[in-house]
Amino acid sequence: MSRHAHDAYDTHESHEGVGGGARRSLAVIGAGPAGLAAALAAAVRGSRVTLIDAGAQAGGQFYRQPAEELGARRPQALHHQWRTWERLRDGLATQIATGRVTHLTDHHVWCVERLDLDEATGFLVHALHGPAQEEPSVVRADAVVLATGAYEKVLPFPGWTLPGVITAGGAQAMLKGGLVLQGRTAVVAGTGPLLLPVAAGLASAGAEVAALVESAGVHHVARHARALSAHPDKLVEGAGYVAELMRRRVPLKARHAIVEAQGDGALEAVTVAALDRDGRVTPGSEQVIRCDTLAVGHGLLPHTDLAETLGCRLEGPAVAVDDEQRTDVHGVWAAGEATGVGGAALSLAEGHIAGCSATARLAGREPDPRAWNAAAKSRARGRDFIASLDAVFAPRAHWAEQVTDATVVCRCEEVPASAIREAVGELGATDARTVKLLTRAGMGWCQGRMCGPAVAGLTGCEPRPSRRPFARPVPLGVLARAGEDLPDE
């Protein structure tokens, strides 16, 4: 986000209505960029906000902070847009001190329940508190902002279950949150803009990055050069990462892909191959690269579980919202990656708009869009830029051809690709749900979040969000006691 855009957002100052009459309550779920912006915008305008997040600290994945006991002397070295984070952090501390925001950390939300009885309206946010995620916690609110973020998409390949193979976001989280390097020699691979900061971060932290392997080619970028050039700040940011990698002599392999990971009990090497213009492996181009860490990712998917439970309409994989970030369910707003993966700047803009709108609506007023004019412009620019990126970094075609029958696709239920192909070819399955019923792919702990795109790809159908009653596993004892000891407000 540019400084100009950020200055339009409120972090400390009250603009209207604070302290006047009974304040309505707003629950903001998620304390990443979108949730923080929503909570601050709502708090300074008079709403009583409960910010609920699974992390021990605010910031989400983008602003993930190392634990205080680690004693990091320069945590900003691992971050981009540090000044923006400082403003958000300080603004949150101010709002907590004034009592306008209650920040619930280590609260893992598993369901949001809508109350529409005559004597009770609003929402109940059900969470599990604590590291074991077994202690129930319930928050009552008049309205909800869903800022639930996204999760990583990883497509399978032979050897991807070996120890040492992790997601690109996982590698970044270990580095930012734990100051930990997975190994000494890393390969970063897949597709998408996340790979650049991950590779640059690992290299800056002392890892030898043996290669950055990106399946998109230069011609993909050239095809959308005009649209991308309309966002010079983003191009400068990306160029900075590239310059850092070049300075450290990290080989950049565009239009290449990982076709296999090898090792005896742990990762020892990966095989990389060039791709033709159709996304197929070019025979004879294979190259083995020694490494003990492979950080791999193929983009992000919106986290829509809570929105789906509430009955919010989706557009494709994302929550559908209007210009105020309202969903089609009364009293529910959504912002950030849940409405479409777009990065921190877009999330901040959407969160700010959601917080402004929610506060006005809770007070019974028609919101004035001029209150978020700068954020709306930032949102428009961000969405335009992300549309261009999506076209450049789409997962390569024909990736499924490299998945051998023995490759485990559903890691939770240990379902190999052969079982999925048998369900399609011999048992007549034509969609991911039927494959799930026939093979148990997607029935495990992650409920298909990891294997869903792969199962859809191998089945030959479009990936669709799976409707789940709960956003995470819940102990039976918690479910049995649901409805007891509800909060008073």
Side-chain angles (χ1 to χ4, degrees):
M1 169 183 294
S2 68
R3 178 65 183 273
H4 173 77
H6 179 76
D7 284 346
Y9 304 156
D10 311 301
T11 53
H12 291 82
E13 298 300 322
S14 172
H15 284 241
E16 55 183 279
V18 175
R23 292 180 294 166
R24 308 289 303 282
S25 62
L26 178 69
V28 177
I29 302 173
L36 284 171
L40 292 173
V44 299
R45 283 166 172 77
S47 289
R48 181 159 46 89
V49 178
T50 302
L51 179 61
I52 309 165
D53 189 61
Q57 303 179 68
Q61 172 69 8
F62 188 78
Y63 293 120
R64 183 182 291 273
Q65 303 297 308
E68 291 184 3
E69 52 266 30
L70 293 176
R73 289 179 295 179
R74 294 182 62 250
Q76 63 269 34
L78 301 173
H79 285 268
H80 181 66
Q81 299 178 355
W82 182 255
R83 177 60 185 144
T84 302
W85 159 246
E86 288 183 319
R87 292 167 66 90
L88 292 168
R89 178 197 62 193
D90 296 346
L92 178 63
T94 298
Q95 299 305 327
I96 291 173
T98 60
R100 298 169 192 158
V101 173
T102 299
H103 183 198
L104 301 180
T105 61
D106 203 9
H107 276 64
H108 308 262
V109 177
W110 56 271
C111 181
V112 180
E113 179 183 1
R114 183 168 50 170
L115 301 174
D116 53 7
L117 302 175
D118 291 340
E119 65 275 18
T121 58
F123 299 87
L124 293 178
V125 180
H126 298 270
L128 298 171
H129 179 222
Q133 300 183 32
E134 294 180 346
E135 182 180 344
S137 176
V138 183
V139 173
R140 175 172 285 178
D142 296 304
V144 174
V145 174
L146 302 174
T148 47
Y151 59 97
E152 282 192 276
K153 178 168 64 177
V154 179
L155 301 174
F157 50 87
W160 78 307
T161 56
L162 278 171
V165 180
I166 59 177
T167 66
Q172 190 178 56
M174 292 172 65
L175 185 58
K176 286 184 175 180
L179 306 179
V180 171
L181 287 173
Q182 167 85 5
R184 300 182 62 85
T185 305
V187 169
V188 180
T191 191
L194 176 62
L195 301 186
L196 278 174
V198 170
L202 293 175
S204 299
E208 177 191 352
V209 180
L212 170 57
V213 183
E214 168 59 63
S215 63
V218 175
H219 67 285
H220 291 103
V221 179
R223 195 178 301 161
H224 301 277
R226 184 173 181 179
L228 295 174
S229 63
H231 307 274
D233 56 331
K234 295 292 185 182
L235 295 183
V236 168
E237 179 184 341
Y241 293 131
V242 173
E244 174 69 11
L245 294 174
M246 293 180 68
R247 187 176 71 83
R248 296 180 181 276
R249 301 183 183 279
V250 174
L252 305 178
K253 293 184 173 296
R255 212 163 81 186
H256 280 67
I258 301 290
V259 295
E260 186 178 11
Q262 301 119 20
D264 183 9
L267 180 69
E268 297 172 1
V270 296
T271 298
V272 177
L275 305 173
D276 63 19
R277 285 183 173 270
D278 294 326
R280 288 190 168 92
V281 167
T282 302
S285 66
E286 292 84 356
Q287 175 188 359
V288 175
I289 301 176
R290 307 294 298 182
C291 60
D292 57 18
T293 299
L294 172 61
V296 62
H298 298 93
L300 301 171
L301 291 169
H303 209 306
T304 60
D305 291 358
L306 298 177
E308 290 180 81
T309 303
L310 283 164
C312 301
R313 182 173 65 86
L314 302 187
E315 285 182 352
V319 182
V321 292
D322 64 9
D323 287 345
E324 296 181 29
Q325 299 297 138
R326 291 182 298 175
T327 73
D328 61 344
V329 174
H330 182 73
V332 179
W333 282 254
E337 310 283 48
T339 68
V341 175
L346 179 57
S347 295
L348 286 168
E350 292 187 349
H352 179 80
I353 294 169
C356 293
S357 170
T359 296
R361 297 283 179 187
L362 282 171
R365 301 192 306 271
E366 187 74 20
D368 182 356
R370 290 176 296 182
W372 59 75
N373 189 45
K377 291 179 180 177
S378 179
R379 179 178 60 182
R381 289 194 301 270
R383 288 178 176 174
D384 177 58
F385 181 72
I386 292 305
S388 302
L389 283 187
D390 286 345
V392 171
F393 294 110
R396 70 180 178 94
H398 307 293
W399 60 266
E401 295 174 5
Q402 303 302 312
V403 180
T404 62
D405 282 348
T407 301
V408 172
V409 176
C410 173
R411 304 171 72 137
C412 299
E413 295 291 326
E414 299 184 345
V415 179
S418 60
I420 297 170
R421 287 171 172 145
E422 180 184 10
V424 175
E426 299 182 22
L427 303 178
T430 58
D431 60 84
R433 176 173 173 77
T434 306
V435 170
K436 177 180 178 179
L437 296 174
L438 291 171
T439 67
R440 295 191 60 81
M443 286 189 179
W445 183 265
C446 84
Q447 288 289 287
R449 291 180 181 84
M450 177 66 75
C451 67
V455 171
L458 290 170
T459 305
C461 62
E462 286 293 322
R464 298 181 185 279
S466 298
R467 295 186 66 91
R468 308 177 182 93
F470 306 140
R472 62 181 60 248
V474 184
L476 284 174
V478 172
L479 291 177
R481 296 193 300 274
E484 302 175 0
D485 301 325
L486 292 179
D488 295 331
E489 56 180 351

